[in-house]
Amino acid sequence: MAHILILGGGAAGLAAALAAAQTDPTARVTVLERSPRPGKKLLATGNGRCNLDNEGITPESYSSADRAALDALLRTVNAADPLGWFRALGLYTRTDETGRVYPYSNQAADVLALLEHHLARCGVEVRTGCTVQTLSQNRGGYVVLFSNADGADESLRADAVVCAMGGSAGPQFGTDGFGPRFAAQCGGALAPLYPCLTALQCAKPDKRLAGIRAKAHAALYNGSTLLADYRGEVQFTDYGLSGICIMDLTRHLTPAVKSPAVELDLFPDIAEDALSALFAARVPLLPGDTAADFWLGLLNAKLGRALWQAAGLPDADVHRLSAAQWQKLAHIAKHWRFEGLTPCGWKQAQVTGGGLALTELAAPAFTLWAKRWTAWAAAAASTCTGPLAAALPPGAVRQNRAGLYRPRSLPAKRNIDKKSRAVPRCVERPGRVLSGLTGRAVPLPRRPLRLLPVSGTPQRPTTGARYPAPSPGGPDSFS
């Protein structure tokens, strides 16, 4: 009986466990979760409604250093029909006007309850209070050492391991960045982590504007270089800026951005010259001759006063303002600049930016195999709703009727390292190694792999299983 071990009991881990159990009913499937109960972050998604999917998912919706790999990943997800997978579990969904897909009940708890019901029905063991320590590999598969709920050290052997440990966003829901660190331990190349889909703190926030909302066009700059721009509702807070369009900008606020600034255009549908003329033409219509009178029927009074002060205009005798002064006010209203910005911390972030590079995931299974030469280390790209593929054990070469690959024994005599009992790195020529399974020469890693000494070559992914798709705003992002 094959043993499939899932590290992490969030949305991705639970979906991976259920998909594995559905694919091979004879397999033993175990989930190890650190929190007292699985699915804690799932309950918070979509403001408690659980945003399952989005009808408008495109590669352009994501920030990625490898567009080709991202496009291939999304095509794989779409082909899996994630919503069909959920329907097969008995979940009925609805789609809002922006394309976001939610359970019809608008209750994230219903999604978790359905997953737990089917996990129990399929005989999946979910163990909580377990903290993973190490993952090692031998000829027979993998060994995971962890601390159990009683604090005692324990180990489990598995034929395949799925790593679904989450990122760093939302530590109050049980994630602290252990997943990316663990991927790095397994030899994966990681981009620096940064919080995104979060609010922005300003060096000098105007606390008088706290709670005010305004439609605007928001643009993110690195110095004078435009990085990204979005249109939507901006929320002013006592610490800075928030709102969906501001949070979208933080996807591009990587650690490489050294001089971030946001410009707000509060009149995005009016050209600057036309806005200047509109301001000047309002003067005869005003009930009074003060700045407060000027913004009546145009902008929130506090917001208008802040713009007026940013332009350095006098508070009284509005009718005396020159054309140049109206032009200056129009320019500020179209280019209101906020500098000294830092993203709010991990606790407010919805997504982890950076992390495991897509180039580290081998298509079409999108499985992590470190530096393209070691055996399988993990097998899921963790998303807010599920994995993309199940892990394959080392030496997997054929597919059984249930759709899972079975391991074959590694070479018993050829150049076995007595210390690790693994196939050694057989140097064929400088900078190359010979794969223990195929004899094909593949590149050496840049540094030795600490946890996974066995070399190998990936096989085709499992077929027949359906896996849920990622949705914008989930716990992981692509680097």
Side-chain angles (χ1 to χ4, degrees):
M1 178 189 296
H3 185 198
I4 303 171
L5 190 58
I6 315 295
L7 307 184
L14 295 180
L18 182 54
Q22 290 173 331
T23 303
D24 185 2
T26 67
R28 174 191 172 194
V29 182
T30 305
V31 178
L32 298 183
E33 165 59 29
R34 184 174 60 179
S35 299
R37 186 187 173 187
K40 187 174 182 180
K41 184 178 285 187
L42 189 154
L43 294 175
T45 59
N47 289 325
R49 296 185 296 156
C50 192
N51 183 192
L52 292 167
D53 203 347
N54 193 301
E55 291 187 341
I57 290 179
T58 63
E60 292 72 30
S61 302
Y62 295 85
S63 297
S64 176
D66 192 331
R67 288 290 175 185
L70 175 60
D71 185 59
L73 184 149
L74 293 179
R75 286 199 306 270
T76 300
V77 171
N78 290 336
D81 187 19
L83 292 182
W85 187 81
F86 277 115
R87 282 194 297 270
L89 300 182
L91 185 70
Y92 190 55
T93 62
R94 70 169 83 208
T95 304
D96 69 10
E97 64 279 359
T98 63
R100 298 186 184 95
V101 181
Y102 297 93
Y104 198 81
S105 66
N106 271 336
Q107 296 293 319
D110 289 354
V111 180
L112 179 57
L114 269 175
L115 288 173
E116 290 180 320
H117 164 71
H118 285 280
L119 288 168
R121 188 176 181 180
C122 292
V124 174
E125 181 185 15
V126 179
R127 300 185 57 179
T128 58
C130 299
T131 301
V132 175
Q133 298 174 2
T134 61
L135 166 67
S136 58
Q137 185 180 10
N138 55 33
R139 288 182 297 169
Y142 302 91
V143 176
V144 172
L145 177 65
F146 63 97
S147 299
N148 60 29
D150 297 325
D153 288 343
E154 190 176 339
S155 64
L156 283 175
R157 193 204 69 81
D159 299 286
V161 176
V162 175
C163 297
M165 301 177 182
S168 297
Q172 66 273 31
F173 302 114
T175 55
D176 62 356
F178 179 73
R181 293 196 302 271
F182 193 77
Q185 248 188 339
C186 292
L190 264 66
L193 304 183
Y194 62 98
C196 52
L197 287 188
T198 186
L200 290 173
Q201 298 176 355
C202 299
K204 297 179 179 179
D206 189 341
K207 297 182 182 298
R208 297 172 300 175
L209 303 180
I212 296 175
R213 298 173 183 263
K215 299 289 186 180
H217 182 273
L220 175 66
Y221 288 84
N222 184 14
S224 59
T225 303
L226 177 65
L227 300 179
D229 59 303
Y230 298 99
R231 189 166 174 170
E233 187 177 72
V234 175
Q235 180 180 352
F236 295 87
T237 67
D238 58 356
Y239 55 81
L241 302 172
S242 187
I244 292 178
C245 61
I246 296 296
M247 297 173 73
D248 278 339
L249 289 178
T250 62
R251 296 189 293 126
H252 307 273
L253 192 51
T254 70
V257 179
K258 302 302 181 183
S259 302
V262 166
E263 284 192 2
L264 297 182
D265 180 355
L266 297 178
F267 297 89
D269 295 321
I270 308 176
E272 187 172 318
D273 289 343
L275 185 61
S276 176
L278 183 150
F279 286 165
R282 282 178 55 82
V283 175
L285 308 176
L286 300 179
D289 202 25
T290 67
D293 296 317
F294 176 81
W295 295 109
L296 187 64
L298 192 61
L299 274 183
N300 176 281
K302 292 181 179 179
L303 191 59
R305 182 173 181 80
L307 278 179
W308 197 272
Q309 291 179 345
L313 302 182
D315 289 338
D317 298 327
V318 172
H319 69 283
R320 296 181 181 276
L321 295 182
S322 66
Q325 288 175 307
W326 289 124
Q327 188 70 39
K328 184 177 182 180
L329 180 62
H331 182 78
I332 293 295
K334 298 281 291 181
H335 303 276
W336 196 7
R337 193 171 179 91
F338 296 80
E339 298 179 321
L341 302 176
T342 56
C344 290
W346 291 113
K347 191 171 183 179
Q348 291 193 43
Q350 296 183 26
V351 174
T352 301
L356 187 64
L358 279 180
T359 52
E360 295 292 290
L361 302 176
F366 297 99
T367 302
L368 171 64
W369 57 306
K371 302 304 178 187
R372 299 292 190 273
W373 68 275
T374 187
W376 298 86
S382 297
T383 68
C384 69
T385 55
L388 296 172
L392 299 182
V397 293
R398 68 182 186 275
Q399 190 177 28
N400 66 10
R401 294 179 182 176
L404 283 184
Y405 286 85
R406 297 294 189 186
R408 70 178 181 187
S409 58
L410 293 175
K413 297 181 179 180
R414 191 185 61 169
N415 298 327
I416 297 295
D417 183 341
K418 294 181 179 180
K419 291 184 178 180
S420 64
R421 302 299 300 170
V423 179
R425 295 187 291 251
C426 306
V427 177
E428 183 184 39
R429 58 181 182 272
R432 311 288 285 184
V433 298
L434 191 65
S435 165
L437 297 180
T438 66
R440 179 173 60 87
V442 291
L444 278 167
R446 296 179 183 175
R447 60 183 186 277
L449 188 66
R450 296 166 53 192
L451 297 179
L452 304 175
V454 182
S455 64
T457 304
Q459 308 296 319
R460 290 182 59 82
T462 59
T463 58
R466 293 196 181 281
Y467 303 102
S471 64
D476 300 280
S477 67
F478 305 110
S479 60

